[in-house]
Amino acid sequence: MTHASAVARSLDRIARLDPGLGAFVEVWPREALAREPAARALPLAGMPFAVKGRSGIRSYAARRLIAAGGVPVGATSVPGPGTVWQTWGQGAHGPTVNPWRPDRTPGGSSAGSAVAVAAGLVELATGSDGAGSVRIPAAWCGVFGLKTTNGLLPSPDRSGLAAPGVLARSAAVAETYLRHVLDGYEPFEARLPVPAVHSEDLGYVQVDPEVAAVVRRAVERLAASGVVRLTTGGCELLDPGQAWQEVRGGAPSTAAAAVRAENDRRLDAFFARTPLLLTPVTPNRPHGHEGPGEVYSTASTWGFNLSGHPAASVPAGFTSDGCPVGLQLVAGRGADVSLLGMARVVEEALPTVPPWTPQTHRAPTR
């Protein structure tokens, strides 16, 4: 009996399930199957992975993964023309849908990458995060997502806000990414309990009470299981929204620069005494395909693009209507490897039981 290869299995799942998900804009079966034999002799042994958007195949991370024996199987969806950049994806089969709730968005802009991982089409997909674009879809699709320290890996973003990242089935799988894209990688074993602070609102975010409750229960479980030791003192920041938008626009005002500098000062002081900050990834649950309304899903994430800190999303649980919620882990600048080590133990302590399994049928198009 002949067993299908990992690449063949991935391509088969994409062919069967992606018409209902819209996770991919392009799939490369011929090229992937041709790459696989030679890749098997390399460290990643032909592991299939996906890249964010059509340009993702040219990214630094994709090139490093291919050199290590990874096999790219396709390009995942990103926001399409005329869509709201924060939360949409537009695949070859239409709008990208959330595998848990097809009537809801998966988040963005690394939308298809999160959906491809959540639906088991690939174990790992590349992403990029300029305001939460890895962490938000990771949270809303119930997978692991990592935004690296700004400047740690090459990025084409001229504003300096966007950093490469990865979406994966687990922090352990994400470690495969970091091991092969980061020079001089050395594994980190977290010493438990990890001193940590839980900040629900960072001093300015209005959080959906049920989202806040899911994250609070996750943090309490981490403390009860000895993974973290909650310390006194919070982490209150100035609202970075306007500053982020001005920096993105290329002409930050004096007021924006002052907000950025003050938040940097506060975060430097925080991480000098505490290695881990815990917050909700988003203030809201996944919204419908009609759009987010007035709510900024980026409210809890984009401050760390301004400051440059590495941050991760770990699945924390589900709201009563079946929407995944993410717990954000933030560490000091350059502490990406230790953040990943802490994320592994956090993830192991938070087994989440979904109210139902991911769906693969399409929601009505907008």
Side-chain angles (χ1 to χ4, degrees), residues 90-331:
Q90 186 77 12
H93 302 284
T96 310
V97 303
N98 192 308
W100 298 97
R101 287 287 305 264
D103 62 327
R104 308 288 177 94
T105 175
S109 62
S110 304
S113 287
V115 173
V117 171
L121 308 183
V122 290
E123 289 287 302
L124 181 152
T126 66
S128 59
D129 189 314
S133 294
V134 163
R135 289 162 287 164
I136 293 168
W140 286 356
C141 291
V143 300
F144 179 81
L146 172 69
K147 166 208 164 303
T148 57
T149 296
N150 292 49
L152 181 71
L153 298 171
S155 168
D157 179 51
R158 294 182 179 180
S159 73
L161 294 172
V166 62
L167 297 105
R169 294 289 289 175
S170 67
V173 175
E175 188 177 23
T176 301
Y177 167 92
L178 205 58
R179 181 186 300 274
H180 292 286
V181 302
L182 185 63
D183 290 330
Y185 178 90
E186 293 184 6
F188 175 86
E189 294 294 331
R191 296 181 60 182
L192 305 182
V194 177
V197 164
H198 171 220
S199 178
E200 183 174 293
D201 61 7
L202 293 170
Y204 64 89
V205 184
Q206 293 186 338
V207 185
D208 176 322
E210 194 173 358
V211 170
V214 171
V215 170
R216 192 180 311 117
R217 287 193 295 270
V219 172
E220 290 169 353
R221 182 167 186 164
L222 294 175
S225 61
V227 171
V228 302
R229 175 175 59 82
L230 295 176
T231 64
T232 57
C235 183
E236 294 198 354
L237 304 176
L238 302 177
D239 187 342
Q242 184 62 32
W244 184 95
Q245 294 183 63
E246 291 184 19
V247 170
R248 188 66 172 176
S253 63
T254 301
V259 167
R260 188 177 194 178
E262 176 60 20
N263 279 350
D264 282 352
R265 186 191 67 78
R266 295 184 187 188
L267 287 167
D268 287 345
F270 176 88
F271 286 112
R273 64 179 185 270
T274 310
L276 186 62
L277 172 63
L278 305 172
T279 82
V281 173
T282 65
N284 53 333
R285 65 193 79 191
H287 55 73
H289 291 273
E290 73 283 353
E294 300 300 316
V295 175
Y296 277 97
S297 306
T298 54
S300 301
T301 53
W302 53 6
F304 303 111
N305 296 89
L306 272 176
S307 68
H309 290 79
S313 176
V314 173
F318 293 79
T319 54
S320 59
D321 57 351
C323 293
V325 173
L327 169 65
Q328 180 170 229
L329 283 62
V330 188

Side-chain angles (χ1 to χ4, degrees), residues 20-84:
L21 296 168
F24 283 85
V25 289
E26 293 180 356
V27 183
W28 310 313
R30 183 177 300 176
E31 296 91 332
L33 291 169
R35 283 182 189 268
E36 188 176 22
R40 287 177 182 155
L42 298 171
L44 291 179
M47 178 194 73
F49 71 96
V51 298
K52 177 183 177 178
R54 290 182 173 90
S55 63
I57 192 65
R58 299 191 297 274
S59 69
Y60 175 82
R63 296 197 308 269
R64 292 294 295 260
L65 292 172
I66 292 169
V71 176
V73 295
T76 58
S77 66
V78 294
T83 56
V84 181

